[in-house]
Amino acid sequence: MNDLFDSLPDLRPVREQIAEGAVLLRGLARDGEADLIAALRDVVACAPFRHMQTPGGHRMSVAMTNCGAVGWVTDRSGYRYAATDPDSGQPWPAMPAPLRDLALRAAVQAGFPGFDPDACLINRYRPGAKMALHQDKDEQDFGAPIVSVSLGLPATFLFGGMARSDKPLRLALTHGDVVAWGGPARLAYHGVAPLKDGTHPLLGPQRINLTFRKAR
Ligand code: MD3
Ligand code: FE
């Protein structure tokens, strides 16, 4: 049944502006996905996924790790970027070249040349995991964009406005989709609806999201 649809052309545009400052690059991460996934396995072998605690004491449903000079962490004392993994006391693994190269290519294609990320937060969603509406404001320079890469199971991404009360736009993000968020979109509220059950051919029953950031 499915090959009937597989043979139809995908008519969605490759480059789509979803809001002022937000550019979706459909499937950009699909070429080189094997190298990307291999590099991720190496990172996770050194810095395993863990469920961090929010400052309020809740366990996040999304499991996280990082690579790069600094990594995003949260615990009872707050949200911050740290140069070492609190679980191991070691520096985070370096940002692998295939990841960094993809982020820089995406930034250029989206109109943000000169992007120099020092952090890559790696989020793992299993079915049921979600992320509440929030703003990313733990970085020093909001002039730099954030580049996000979605791998594995599809998710419904929620893109709100500048106020938490703005009704969010719902957007499907599927394997290989890359989005650059800069300009006025940089401080927009956003979140992820609970992940639906499923199994991805390359990654199994999970979604992996990478966010490349200039933290310092
Ligand atoms: C819009 N991650 O890690 S990626 C996060 O799918 C985070 O795991 C989500 O939000 C995920 O902080 C969403 C898309 C994204 C990332 C950062 C943004 C959208 C953004 C920053 C500003 C505006
Ligand atoms: Fe975010």
Side-chain angles (χ1 to χ4, degrees):
M1 189 59 182
N2 241 328
D3 31 336
L4 185 62
F5 298 106
D6 288 347
S7 65
L8 294 172
D10 186 346
L11 294 175
R12 295 174 304 182
V14 166
R15 186 183 187 284
E16 184 184 358
Q17 175 138 289
I18 57 188
E20 190 68 30
V23 177
L24 168 57
L25 303 161
R26 281 267 176 220
L28 183 69
R30 292 183 77 141
D31 45 52
E33 64 190 3
D35 288 346
L36 218 55
I37 291 167
L40 283 171
R41 286 195 207 288
D42 293 343
V43 167
V44 170
C46 295
F49 285 113
R50 78 292 306 263
H51 294 272
M52 297 186 197
Q53 296 260 119
T54 66
H58 296 285
R59 172 191 194 264
M60 297 187 76
S61 62
V62 178
M64 299 177 165
T65 186
N66 292 275
C67 60
V70 292
W72 188 85
V73 297
T74 174
D75 59 21
R76 291 307 300 247
S77 55
Y79 306 131
R80 63 194 174 278
Y81 283 91
T84 55
D85 176 348
D87 281 11
S88 67
Q90 294 298 119
W92 295 106
M95 198 183 292
L99 272 67
R100 183 179 167 82
D101 292 351
L102 171 62
L104 267 56
R105 190 155 24 102
V108 166
Q109 290 190 24
F112 303 106
F115 183 47
D116 182 23
D118 54 7
C120 174
L121 172 62
I122 306 169
N123 294 332
R124 184 195 68 197
Y125 295 74
R126 290 201 165 139
K130 62 185 176 0
M131 194 175 285
L133 280 183
H134 66 278
Q135 293 171 293
D136 289 18
K137 47 182 187 185
D138 301 319
E139 301 74 27
Q140 302 268 1
D141 176 12
F142 301 140
I146 290 180
V147 170
S148 71
V149 177
S150 293
L151 298 170
L153 289 177
T156 299
F157 177 76
L158 309 170
F159 185 65
M162 300 307 291
R164 195 188 291 277
S165 57
D166 291 348
K167 182 183 153 67
L169 181 93
R170 296 169 74 90
L171 179 75
L173 289 180
T174 65
H175 178 75
D177 287 351
V178 180
V179 192
W181 313 86
R186 176 64 182 77
L187 286 172
Y189 279 89
H190 60 278
V192 179
L195 196 77
K196 293 188 182 128
D197 282 325
T199 303
H200 186 270
L202 293 177
L203 286 168
Q206 61 185 344
R207 168 177 185 258
I208 303 289
N209 178 266
L210 316 176
T211 46
F212 296 89
R213 300 137 183 276
K214 174 99 185 116
R216 294 184 168 166

